[in-house]
Amino acid sequence: MEEYKTHLKLYKSFDWCSTWDGNRYDIVFYGVSGYTGYLMMEYLKRIALKCTPEPFTFAFAGRTVRKVEDMKDREFAGTQWANTPVLQMSYDDPRSIVDLVKSSRVIINVAGPYMATQGELMVDMCIQLGVSYIDISGEIPWSLRVLELHKKAVENGVTVVPSAASAGGFPDLGTFICAKKMREEYGEELKSAICYCDGGGAAPTASGGTLKTRATMASAGEEVRAKMADPFSLGGFIPEVDRWGVKKCSIDFGTGKAKLKVRSQDMDANISKISEDKRLGVWRGPHVYAYFDTRIVRRSNMLLADLANRPYGAAFNFMQYSLLPTEGITAMKGVKKVSVEEEEKALKAKGAYYAEGEGPPLEELEDAWVGYFLWAETTNGHEIKCSMVGRDGYMETARVAIETAMCLLFDKLPFKGGVLTPTVACGENLLRRMVAGNLKFRLGEWLPAEERCPPPWPQ
């Protein structure tokens, strides 16, 4: 009741610039006229509305109402959700931002590329009005902009969760589960962890939105690109030390100041080449989201240390790779990195190119699956594995975002307020809800090859 009174007071403080109709929904999905909106609606229909034990309300929103209504009609015509409300919001109309946020308990913003928008206006208003915020960004420049609001979010007790997607979600959640198990079983923290990413079935080509996001990041200025290249750009810095435990540093000759050196095992060079993991007997190569996910996991390690004094490990190292088939190693060693323009040209030549707002329909991805296979080791050498297998990566992004929202709405959460990762915000609740939606999960081993297939749709 006190929380309700506080929010009511905050709402009234913006009455002068609001025409809010008084209707409030548990979740408002913003930016759902394109491919990501299609996936969000499909996940609602196929999984969330069937598997979520708590009833919840939702609405859709976008800059152009007609486009959102067309998508809604296509997805929900003839169902009990056919009349789901559609709201309008544009960043160049501040009043519409206030109205949208007032209409929500949780906002899921899927309108990217985020770094090309004024999305922090929405995030800031969510913090002002006590509304949780989620997005599915895989963009480090955007994450850095949102992090500027962390202190304000902490002070207002509002949870902001950028990067609630398959990238930013699964590798970190697997690390969290492994660390928790080893702490409970041996009382030890993790020394290191590796996530191996795999997949099969029909390979989904990049959607138009994904290609635009990559192009936007590739065109970023030098200052932004320098931040993107920092392995600890999102926090969690662990310096190199000498054999006596003294932190190493170098001199920045531009400023004359000493700068702590990053440990060699944390450098991006380790995840940029093909190599063999002799301990596990697998070959590995670069993964498209490894540079992003490693930074997310390091941020979680820092947040868990700061908020609960329970980091994954005080000197924890995390790496991520693609799991490679042995027979393809020779061929892959000669493959060079391609630009967004080259990737787009190749997709067009195969007839598999999608424009912005478009992507492969789920009917073409029926047998597609993605898997995340974690291996971790404690400071005293105890080892653990876990694995998670879901449907194609795009659908799994919808899963992580929507189930994160369910956690924020209904679960008792470990922390309140701040710009958090999905794992830190939700903890085990997130895994529990995803498994209830038929995600395959195994702790203690990697799923055998015959079980690495997409989980069935809930009946």
Side-chain angles (χ1 to χ4, degrees):
M1 179 59 73
E2 288 303 316
E3 183 179 5
Y4 171 77
K5 289 179 179 178
T6 300
H7 288 170
L8 186 62
K9 183 178 179 181
L10 287 170
Y11 286 178
K12 288 183 176 179
S13 68
F14 285 87
D15 281 351
W16 61 274
C17 61
S18 174
T19 58
W20 177 46
D21 62 9
N23 291 315
R24 196 175 183 212
Y25 308 95
D26 290 321
I27 308 175
V28 172
F29 296 83
Y30 177 74
V32 286
S33 61
Y35 185 61
T36 306
Y38 157 69
L39 294 171
M40 293 290 167
M41 294 183 192
E42 285 286 332
Y43 188 87
L44 282 170
K45 283 193 313 183
R46 295 173 182 243
I47 299 178
L49 291 166
K50 293 180 178 181
C51 299
T52 303
E54 305 91 347
F56 63 95
T57 59
F58 58 93
F60 302 122
R63 184 175 57 184
T64 306
V65 168
R66 182 68 260 166
K67 290 183 178 180
V68 178
E69 287 182 335
D70 287 346
M71 181 66 74
K72 180 200 72 171
D73 292 344
R74 170 181 145 189
E75 291 296 306
F76 289 104
T79 73
Q80 66 189 89
W81 305 284
N83 295 321
T84 298
V86 174
L87 313 176
Q88 193 279 334
M89 193 218 84
S90 174
Y91 289 121
D92 51 13
D93 179 5
R95 185 180 64 181
S96 71
I97 302 175
V98 175
D99 289 347
L100 184 78
V101 174
K102 282 189 172 185
S103 301
S104 320
R105 290 184 65 198
V106 177
I107 286 180
I108 299 180
N109 176 15
V110 299
Y114 297 90
M115 59 185 289
T117 73
Q118 296 172 287
E120 54 264 74
L121 295 177
M122 181 193 291
V123 181
D124 188 45
M125 188 53 61
C126 284
I127 294 171
Q128 293 277 9
L129 297 180
V131 172
S132 299
Y133 170 90
I134 293 168
D135 68 42
I136 58 170
S137 163
E139 308 163 28
I140 292 172
W142 167 249
S143 298
L144 292 171
R145 280 161 58 183
V146 177
L147 283 178
E148 294 180 9
L149 295 169
H150 175 70
K151 182 178 179 182
K152 188 175 181 180
V154 170
E155 291 171 348
N156 286 24
V158 175
T159 301
V160 174
V161 188
S163 309
S166 53
F170 281 104
D172 193 23
L173 185 58
T175 303
F176 176 87
I177 295 301
C178 287
K180 183 175 184 297
K181 179 67 173 176
M182 299 309 267
R183 192 182 301 115
E184 292 171 347
E185 195 158 318
Y186 299 105
E188 299 171 10
E189 61 183 31
L190 296 185
K191 174 185 176 182
S192 60
I194 303 173
C195 179
Y196 287 109
C197 306
D198 198 9
T205 58
S207 70
T210 298
L211 290 175
K212 184 176 181 182
T213 296
R214 291 178 189 169
T216 302
M217 293 180 67
S219 63
E222 288 187 14
E223 183 178 353
V224 173
R225 292 174 67 85
K227 291 179 179 178
M228 290 168 60
D230 178 1
F232 293 93
S233 58
L234 303 184
F237 182 77
I238 301 173
E240 183 76 87
V241 298
D242 61 25
R243 62 179 180 172
W244 296 284
V246 178
K247 295 178 181 178
K248 294 183 179 180
C249 64
S250 59
I251 301 299
D252 185 331
F253 291 101
T255 64
K257 295 181 179 179
K259 182 180 180 182
L260 290 175
K261 295 180 67 175
V262 177
R263 299 184 307 178
S264 59
Q265 62 262 45
D266 297 322
M267 299 297 288
D268 287 340
N270 295 300
I271 53 177
S272 63
K273 55 193 175 185
I274 293 173
S275 61
E276 183 182 9
D277 184 336
K278 296 183 182 297
R279 184 195 301 241
L280 298 178
V282 299
W283 281 88
R284 60 199 186 187
H287 185 264
V288 66
Y289 283 112
Y291 299 93
F292 184 74
D293 285 332
T294 50
R295 287 145 176 78
I296 290 289
V297 174
R298 290 164 191 155
R299 176 165 180 78
S300 287
N301 190 42
M302 176 193 72
L303 287 169
L304 290 168
D306 291 347
L307 297 173
N309 195 28
R310 293 170 76 87
Y312 298 146
F316 176 67
N317 168 255
F318 177 81
M319 288 285 132
Q320 180 171 315
Y321 304 90
S322 288
L323 194 61
L324 302 180
T326 304
E327 62 273 14
I329 300 304
T330 302
M332 289 197 67
K333 284 184 177 179
V335 176
K336 68 173 184 176
K337 184 178 180 181
V338 298
S339 67
V340 174
E341 292 77 15
E342 291 172 322
E343 183 179 3
E344 183 177 312
K345 184 177 179 180
L347 290 172
K348 285 180 177 178
K350 293 191 299 183
Y353 172 75
Y354 292 95
E356 184 182 356
E358 299 177 354
L362 290 181
E363 288 73 19
E364 293 182 9
L365 303 174
E366 195 61 36
D367 64 343
W369 62 272
V370 293
Y372 300 86
F373 303 92
L374 275 292
W375 170 89
E377 181 182 22
T378 71
T379 50
N380 286 327
H382 292 102
E383 299 180 23
I384 187 172
K385 291 181 177 179
C386 83
S387 52
M388 295 169 283
V389 171
R391 304 197 69 88
D392 70 277
Y394 288 119
M395 180 56 85
E396 291 309 312
T397 284
R399 184 196 301 273
V400 176
I402 292 176
E403 300 303 348
T404 298
M406 296 303 165
C407 291
L408 299 186
L409 284 167
F410 301 118
D411 293 335
K412 183 177 180 181
L413 301 177
F415 312 110
K416 184 174 177 61
V419 179
L420 309 178
T421 62
T423 294
V424 172
C426 304
E428 284 185 288
N429 299 300
L430 182 56
L431 178 63
R432 173 178 55 82
R433 288 185 176 274
M434 294 199 298
V435 170
N438 281 24
L439 177 77
K440 292 183 178 181
F441 171 74
R442 189 76 55 84
L443 181 61
E445 66 174 352
W446 288 356
L447 283 165
E450 61 272 17
E451 295 185 42
R452 298 181 190 182
C453 56
W457 298 114
Q459 297 299 314

